[in-house]
Structure formats: structure tokens, C-alpha cells
Amino acid sequence: MAELTVQQVRNCMFSAWYPKFKAHTIVSRVVALPQSFVEYLQDDGPLVLPEESDPTRVGFGHVESDHSDTDEWANRPEDEGETATPSFPELHEEIAAKIKQLGGAVMPKLNWSAPRDAHTFSTVGSLRCVTPGDVYLLLKSSQNIVHDLTMPFADCVDRATARTEVQYELILRNWMEVPLAFEFRCFVTQHKLIGISQRDQTTFYPSLMPEKERVKADIVAFYEQAIAGRFPDADYVFDVFIKEPGDVWLVDFNPFGAVTDSILFSWDELLEERARLITAAAAEGVAAELRVVEAEQGVRPSHYATSRMAPDDVSNLAEFAQLMHQQQMQQPHSSDDDDDGGDDDEGDDGDE
């Protein structure tokens, strides 16, 4: 396994790469998070939204429900339990202002990860947020976010000696309808693009099959024109989506290693190719391989389908994140397995 360093993980932080690649990605705004809000996200107690949240407007698009958990949180008697309602008025106003600047709808993430595993809380099945309350609910409901907050450098060989303090940030990304069939994860080693995987491994998209060669050509061209030689590491993973033929958008960067989901590849395969490139006298003629779900029989279950859990369903979020991390690192890294091999938005997104 390639050794992962703290600096490589830092290079995948949103604020580390966004200024250089902003012309090729989704318009975003960054909000510095106060320590009090970070502690709120880390808190293992009942899921209580900040008092600035309007419970009638939390719901990812204002879809009303006759049985709103948010209403129950907001309207429970004051003497029921001892959990104080948190308050972040300045942060709330800043998030609301950023959402307005971005057209009224956003997708949130932290420094590395998006709360993709929390979409079960969405009434519309996505990460679309239109109010700060929507953002709070997603962040508090996600183990991906817990991972960002508690163990972002857990797999780094130099974590005991390198600088590991983090200024946590909330990233709000302009909401875009992304075609799921045309989201891809791309693997780069020794500055060579070696693999491209369909991101959504849970679905067979017949419309994608006749487009495979074009998709590969579009992504390879995008990599060569927009990314190659500009990211600081020799080994990394990046996510893209194709909005329309020839129009490729960068979504996120992730570390090159088992902490990142290899989807339709295995890390054994990817690391074997890395070793070959390191020892080869020349790396000319390396061709990226594109993998997609070729038939209904080839679909795989979502990692999130088995790991989503509301914060108030577990006694300690940090311990839960550690457990999930250990489980995914121990999973077989074979491309024939039915389970995902890693954390989708470590670095996730994102992601998006």
C-alpha cells in the first residue's frame, strides 16, 4: 500500500485546491467555522438544531410533512431532558447570505467530505439545501462529517510528527443538477491517468454504453488540459461529471489510497500499476482504462445503504466513525466484491 502523508491529505482540502482550479469547478463559497460550532457538530447528544433554525422551513426544499421530526425537536417541552438549544446567530446570518449569493440553493461539505451518507434525511433524496437549517441537519446526521472532524489523518504514516491542526470550514457549492450516469472517479499515479470509474455503481445506465469512448476521450482531454502538472502530488484521485459532450466539470480531489473508494477498480490493481510505473524505464503510452456497470447483473450495493445512521442512534459519534473506518479498511479490495472499499468522500464530495 502506498504510504499516505499528512501533506497529501491537506492537499485535498477544498481551500487548498479551489483557488487554482476554480475555473473548472462549481462556484463555491467558504465559511470559516467557529470552534463552538465544531464542538456542536462533534457533540454526541440528541440531534438539536440551533435556535436560529426555522423548523417550518427545514426540509430540503420545504416539502411539508405531517410527521416532522424537526417540529418535534423544536416544540419539545423545555423540561424534557437537559440538552440546551445551541445558538450561532452570526454564523447563521453568514450562511444565509452565502446561500442567497449562490442563487438560493447549495450543496454543503466540510474541508474534505460532503454528507452524502445523510441524504436519507432529505425529503427530495438529495443534498440540496435552501436554508441554514437544512445545512445543519445534514452535517449533524453524517458520519462522513464526523470522520472529517475526528480522524482526517488517521491513515497517515507521519501523523505523530506532522502538523495536524485544522481550521474547519463549511463549503457551500452552487446547487447543480448533476447527471448521475455521467459522474466519474479518476485515478492518477506517477502523474499518469490510469483509471476512470463510473461513480454510481448501484445502477446500470444503458444510455452510457454507446457513449463510453466519447466519455473517456472527454475526461482524458480535461485531465491533460486542466489538471495534469498542476496538482502538487504525483498520486491522487479526482472526481468529475460531464454536463454535456465536451463539457467536463471538476468536483473534488481525494487521496490516492484505501481511504478513498476505488469503486469499480480494486486498490490492489491500482497499486500494482503504480509499482509498475515507478520501476518502468519509461511511462510513455499509458492508457487510462474506463470501467462502467455493463449490465444489471453488475450493479453493487451502496456503501451508504448499510452505514447510514442518525446521530441519536449511536452513543458516541467518534467511536462510530472509527468503527466504520476500520471496517471499510478491512474490506477485501477486490474488484469482484459486492461491497464498496472505502469512504466515498474522504476528501467526497465531493462531494457532489
Side-chain angles (χ1 to χ4, degrees):
M1 179 63 67
E3 293 187 339
L4 189 64
T5 67
V6 167
Q7 188 57 54
Q8 286 175 310
V9 175
R10 286 189 177 279
N11 289 341
C12 294
M13 291 174 61
F14 182 84
S15 291
W17 63 261
Y18 181 71
K20 183 179 292 187
F21 295 97
K22 65 188 304 181
H24 305 287
T25 191
I26 302 165
V27 175
S28 305
R29 297 288 184 269
V30 177
V31 179
L33 295 177
Q35 183 59 30
S36 58
F37 187 77
V38 173
E39 293 171 357
Y40 160 71
L41 293 179
Q42 293 174 320
D43 183 71
D44 296 331
L47 199 162
V48 179
L49 296 184
E51 66 179 25
E52 292 80 17
S53 303
D54 180 352
T56 66
R57 299 195 67 198
V58 175
F60 310 92
H62 315 322
V63 177
E64 297 183 358
S65 170
D66 293 335
H67 303 285
S68 170
D69 290 340
T70 304
D71 289 343
E72 292 176 8
W73 299 330
N75 297 327
R76 71 188 188 287
E78 292 184 2
D79 60 351
E80 183 179 316
E82 300 179 356
T83 303
T85 303
S87 178
F88 309 99
E90 294 181 2
L91 177 64
H92 188 89
E93 290 301 318
E94 185 173 4
I95 294 174
K98 300 293 188 188
I99 292 175
K100 185 176 181 180
Q101 290 174 14
L102 291 168
V106 300
M107 192 281 288
K109 63 175 291 179
L110 290 196
N111 302 48
W112 292 278
S113 302
R116 292 170 66 99
D117 56 322
H119 75 274
T120 184
F121 283 89
S122 169
T123 57
V124 293
S126 75
L127 303 186
R128 183 176 184 269
C129 295
V130 297
T131 72
D134 293 343
V135 175
Y136 305 147
L137 186 57
L138 276 178
L139 297 182
K140 282 288 285 184
S141 305
S142 170
Q143 74 181 53
N144 287 355
I145 298 304
V146 173
H147 185 282
D148 268 21
L149 295 172
T150 61
M151 49 191 298
F153 306 112
D155 299 290
C156 299
V157 295
D158 58 344
R159 63 185 181 277
T161 57
R163 182 174 64 90
T164 57
E165 67 273 14
V166 177
Q167 169 58 61
Y168 282 100
E169 299 172 327
L170 170 65
I171 291 87
L172 300 173
R173 315 205 72 180
N174 183 43
W175 176 258
M176 295 182 67
E177 294 291 343
V178 176
L180 294 180
F182 291 92
E183 286 187 286
F184 299 92
R185 174 154 289 177
C186 309
F187 302 88
V188 176
T189 186
Q190 299 302 293
H191 302 289
K192 301 293 181 180
L193 177 61
I194 62 170
I196 303 168
S197 173
Q198 176 181 325
R199 186 81 185 271
D200 179 15
Q201 62 183 6
T202 68
T203 307
F204 167 57
Y205 296 101
S207 62
L208 181 57
M209 302 306 292
E211 301 291 327
K212 288 170 56 179
E213 290 304 316
R214 177 188 63 77
V215 163
K216 179 178 175 179
D218 283 351
I219 293 176
V220 169
F222 177 77
Y223 168 72
E224 293 175 346
Q225 296 166 13
I227 297 180
R230 302 183 65 198
F231 194 77
D233 296 320
D235 306 320
Y236 56 94
V237 179
F238 67 95
D239 296 331
V240 299
F241 70 88
I242 301 177
K243 190 174 182 180
E244 56 186 42
D247 188 11
V248 182
W249 291 60
L250 174 65
V251 176
D252 213 349
F253 286 96
N254 304 282
F256 187 89
V259 70
T260 300
D261 189 355
S262 58
I263 313 182
L264 297 179
F265 289 88
S266 74
W267 276 112
D268 287 342
E269 293 175 294
L270 296 168
L271 292 168
E272 181 179 341
E273 180 64 9
R274 178 179 183 271
R276 188 189 71 79
L277 291 177
I278 290 175
T279 58
E284 298 299 327
V286 175
E289 178 184 355
L290 171 65
R291 292 186 183 178
V292 302
V293 177
E294 302 275 354
E296 291 287 356
Q297 294 80 1
V299 301
R300 303 181 184 185
S302 169
H303 172 65
Y304 301 130
T306 57
S307 67
R308 287 196 304 264
M309 189 174 293
D312 52 359
D313 287 335
V314 295
S315 60
N316 186 292
L317 288 177
E319 291 179 3
F320 179 62
Q322 178 71 43
L323 175 63
M324 293 306 303
H325 177 78
Q326 291 173 348
Q327 289 177 347
Q328 75 184 42
M329 294 298 290
Q330 292 169 1
Q331 288 175 355
H333 300 304
S334 167
S335 60
D336 295 328
D337 292 338
D338 288 335
D339 295 326
D340 290 356
D343 187 39
D344 197 7
D345 269 284
E346 168 59 48
D348 120 322
D349 151 306
D351 206 245
E352 321 194 340

